[in-house]
Amino acid sequence: MQKYSKQTRLLLAVDCIVFGFDGEALKILLIKRGFQPEKGNWSLMGGFVQPDESLDQASNRILKELTGLEGVYLEQLHTFGDPQRDPIERTVSVAYFALIDINKYEKQINDDYHAEWFTLKRTPKVIFDQQEMVEMAKKRIRYKAAMHPILFELLPSKFTIPQLQNLYENVFNTSIDKRNFSKRVLATGLLIKLNEKDKAGSKRGAYYYQLNMHNYYSKFQAFMNFIPNPDSISAS
Amino acid sequence: MQKYSKQTRLLLAVDCIVFGFDGEALKILLIKRGFQPEKGNWSLMGGFVQPDESLDQASNRILKELTGLEGVYLEQLHTFGDPQRDPIERTVSVAYFALIDINKYEKQINDDYHAEWFTLKRTPKVIFDQQEMVEMAKKRIRYKAAMHPILFELLPSKFTIPQLQNLYENVFNTSIDKRNFSKRVLATGLLIKLNEKDKAGSKRGAYYYQLNMHNYYSKFQAFMNFIPNPDSISAS
DNA sequence: TTTTTAAGTGTTTTTATAACAATTAAATTT
DNA sequence: AAATTTAATTGTTATAAAAACACTTAAAAA
């Protein structure tokens, strides 16, 4: 037996929702689609899965081709398979989401590709069923961040506690008491204090911290769950 | 433009991990595969996605065709796309997991199809990468059940609190104080006490409860998280 | 009538979370 | 040089949730 005869084959694509945080708001990265249909319209990073690559390989390749990003946090989100989702031909799409340090990659992205960051509240229309993918990714990132330390992926390797708090407040659309926040985040043992200050945010300056990578991996599974009144934490 | 020319098409399948609970242990349902390759070996419920159906439709259809089950809890788990996962031809598989009331469907399954229940600790070898799917499904069910009331799907519509506790203790491989358990589970407002007892488990008998479906949906997103020392709660 | 078995229930202790305000470092202004 | 401004840093108290703990009760069986 060589093939499963009588079965219909179809196209398989990968779409990536790329999240970044600029200190002000959570953003996603969109590109202008380069081919028909919907050529020139805003789209997630996407492309077809090639015969010799796995889904993870495909998503990493596409992310690199379209943004120059490599080695970033990338996680499979959900697979979208409505028969009518692509008007040209049936295409099932495996959606991934990525979390990146927006500062590290911004220049590279803008120079080499026609990509742009949009705040989640002011996202333009995206093609096909991609709005649904974005909504699901937003839910997933909140859901996961409530228990796992994934949001550090959005910050530079050196960051301050006020920056971290600001990120959490943004993602969960809430405000957190800073005394309680720093107590809890320091209690995880995940942060190493550096003898260096970030002077950009204030006159006094705030100490930089970096992740204790050993504790990071060992504590990844159960980090903390300390969001008082989340806008919504819901399952994907 | 009619088609995406130059792209390779591939086969898309769906595999379902079906969980059941018999009061003793958590079990999964396997069938003897009916076609080559691996014909006659134990397999998850699987089949190819047809041209006119969505992934959810495909998984529901396959579950019904192979087990007679309909209208059960079914959730997309993860998509597996290693190029070599099927030796005959590249086939990407979207895995789903289902939670069913084992008593309700047992007879039907055994009579009509060659399906069999296996405890998670004594599962036979399954084909391809299905062991990986099962492992991921086990993790996911624990992860989700720690915060959402999905385990009720594994019980009959009338159940006792000792039965419920037994289920939680099984899924999380831990033991829970029965006073604390009943306090917390009753405090959710999800249970309605019936004027009827289950006499099977003890001389005294235990009161039956049923789900308050109104509260069930409204409380689904944040149920409780009360597993003292879970064997492991980890993200998929 | 006694025994056996599991169901059902309350209180105390401990821990975690939430609420709350004063002090400090460092630049800027006067 | 002193005063002002701004955000960072830090600790205690109050409240709520979780954990620990043991006796009573219903009903069948002996």
Side-chain angles (χ1 to χ4, degrees):
Chain A
M1 177 187 261
Q2 295 287 39
K3 293 280 181 183
Y4 292 108
S5 57
K6 298 184 184 171
Q7 295 299 334
T8 307
R9 281 130 192 99
L10 46 71
L11 285 170
L12 193 67
V14 160
D15 285 301
C16 298
I17 300 104
V18 181
F19 288 97
F21 181 66
D22 64 358
E24 293 292 323
L26 199 61
K27 297 188 168 182
I28 61 168
L29 189 61
L30 301 178
I31 55 166
K32 290 207 167 178
R33 183 165 155 114
F35 54 95
Q36 291 295 351
E38 302 265 5
K39 182 174 180 175
N41 292 332
W42 291 109
S43 163
L44 298 172
M45 320 282 122
F48 292 105
V49 175
Q50 298 304 307
D52 58 343
E53 65 184 1
S54 71
L55 305 177
D56 284 358
Q57 286 167 347
S59 56
N60 276 287
R61 171 182 58 77
I62 286 161
L63 198 57
K64 185 176 180 203
E65 283 176 9
L66 297 178
T67 68
L69 301 171
E70 245 181 316
V72 303
Y73 186 92
L74 193 58
E75 179 177 330
Q76 189 182 310
L77 175 67
H78 192 81
T79 300
F80 294 79
D82 186 282
Q84 314 300 330
R85 57 175 296 282
D86 186 319
I88 295 296
E89 176 181 356
R90 181 163 196 191
T91 306
V92 170
S93 176
V94 184
Y96 279 75
F97 70 94
L99 304 177
I100 69 159
D101 171 5
I102 201 170
N103 304 300
K104 192 171 172 188
Y105 294 97
E106 197 164 27
K107 189 165 180 301
Q108 193 173 352
I109 290 164
N110 288 333
D111 289 359
D112 298 354
Y113 307 92
H114 302 291
E116 213 168 298
W117 290 101
F118 294 90
T119 64
L120 286 176
K121 286 167 190 168
R122 296 193 181 177
T123 306
K125 240 181 204 144
V126 284
I127 64 170
F128 304 161
D129 55 356
Q130 293 187 356
Q131 190 56 44
E132 196 185 338
M133 295 180 182
V134 172
E135 293 304 323
M136 195 179 284
K138 282 160 59 179
K139 282 187 184 175
R140 179 72 65 89
I141 189 180
R142 282 181 168 180
Y143 188 77
K144 190 146 190 175
M147 279 189 50
H148 308 281
I150 56 170
L151 297 187
F152 294 99
E153 303 285 344
L154 292 165
L155 294 174
S157 61
K158 293 191 299 186
F159 53 86
T160 68
I161 289 184
Q163 281 169 5
L164 184 64
Q165 177 168 354
N166 187 233
L167 171 57
Y168 271 88
E169 290 180 339
N170 259 276
V171 170
F172 290 99
N173 192 29
T174 187
S175 60
I176 306 172
D177 181 278
K178 61 184 175 179
R179 291 159 290 190
N180 293 336
F181 182 85
S182 74
K183 241 181 303 176
R184 292 194 62 174
V185 82
L186 289 172
T188 63
L190 247 60
L191 301 190
I192 299 169
K193 190 177 189 173
L194 303 180
N195 262 334
E196 192 185 349
K197 278 186 169 182
D198 167 39
K199 296 291 183 77
S202 72
K203 293 164 183 169
R204 178 177 176 177
Y207 280 106
Y208 278 119
Y209 287 80
Q210 66 181 27
L211 275 180
N212 178 334
M213 290 314 283
H214 179 67
N215 290 7
Y216 180 73
Y217 292 115
S218 64
K219 295 210 173 184
F220 190 88
Q221 297 298 16
F223 174 49
M224 55 182 178
N225 103 300
F226 70 129
I227 308 307
N229 294 304
D231 200 47
S232 79
I233 295 181
S234 57
S236 57
Chain B
M1 177 186 262
Q2 295 287 39
K3 293 281 180 181
Y4 293 108
S5 56
K6 297 185 183 170
Q7 295 298 334
T8 307
R9 282 134 192 93
L10 46 71
L11 285 169
L12 192 67
V14 159
D15 285 303
C16 299
I17 300 103
V18 181
F19 288 97
F21 181 67
D22 64 357
E24 293 292 321
L26 198 61
K27 296 187 170 183
I28 61 171
L29 189 61
L30 301 178
I31 55 166
K32 290 208 168 178
R33 182 165 157 114
F35 54 95
Q36 290 295 350
E38 302 264 5
K39 183 173 178 175
N41 293 332
W42 291 109
S43 164
L44 298 173
M45 321 283 123
F48 293 105
V49 175
Q50 298 303 306
D52 59 342
E53 66 184 359
S54 71
L55 305 177
D56 284 357
Q57 286 166 348
S59 56
N60 275 287
R61 172 182 58 77
I62 286 163
L63 198 57
K64 185 176 180 205
E65 284 177 9
L66 295 179
T67 68
L69 302 170
E70 242 179 318
V72 303
Y73 185 92
L74 193 58
E75 179 180 331
Q76 189 182 309
L77 175 67
H78 191 81
T79 300
F80 293 80
D82 186 282
Q84 314 301 329
R85 59 175 294 283
D86 186 318
I88 295 296
E89 177 181 355
R90 181 162 196 190
T91 306
V92 170
S93 176
V94 184
Y96 279 74
F97 70 93
L99 304 177
I100 70 159
D101 171 4
I102 201 170
N103 303 301
K104 193 171 173 190
Y105 293 97
E106 196 166 28
K107 192 168 178 300
Q108 193 172 351
I109 290 163
N110 288 333
D111 288 359
D112 298 354
Y113 307 93
H114 301 292
E116 212 167 298
W117 290 101
F118 294 91
T119 64
L120 286 176
K121 286 167 189 167
R122 296 193 182 178
T123 305
K125 240 180 204 142
V126 284
I127 64 170
F128 304 161
D129 54 358
Q130 292 187 356
Q131 190 56 44
E132 196 186 339
M133 296 181 182
V134 172
E135 293 303 322
M136 195 179 284
K138 281 160 61 178
K139 282 187 183 174
R140 179 72 64 88
I141 190 180
R142 283 180 169 181
Y143 188 76
K144 190 145 192 177
M147 281 189 48
H148 308 281
I150 56 170
L151 297 186
F152 294 100
E153 303 286 343
L154 292 165
L155 293 175
S157 61
K158 294 191 299 186
F159 52 86
T160 68
I161 290 185
Q163 280 169 3
L164 183 64
Q165 176 168 353
N166 187 233
L167 171 56
Y168 272 88
E169 290 180 337
N170 260 275
V171 170
F172 291 100
N173 192 30
T174 187
S175 60
I176 307 172
D177 181 277
K178 63 180 176 179
R179 291 159 292 188
N180 294 335
F181 182 86
S182 73
K183 243 181 299 177
R184 293 195 61 175
V185 81
L186 290 172
T188 63
L190 245 61
L191 301 190
I192 299 169
K193 189 176 189 174
L194 304 180
N195 263 333
E196 192 185 349
K197 280 185 167 181
D198 167 39
K199 296 293 183 73
S202 72
K203 291 164 183 170
R204 179 177 176 176
Y207 280 104
Y208 278 120
Y209 287 79
Q210 66 182 29
L211 275 180
N212 178 335
M213 289 315 281
H214 179 68
N215 291 7
Y216 181 71
Y217 292 114
S218 64
K219 295 210 173 183
F220 190 88
Q221 297 299 17
F223 174 51
M224 55 183 178
N225 104 301
F226 70 128
I227 308 307
N229 295 303
D231 201 45
S232 79
I233 295 182
S234 57
S236 57

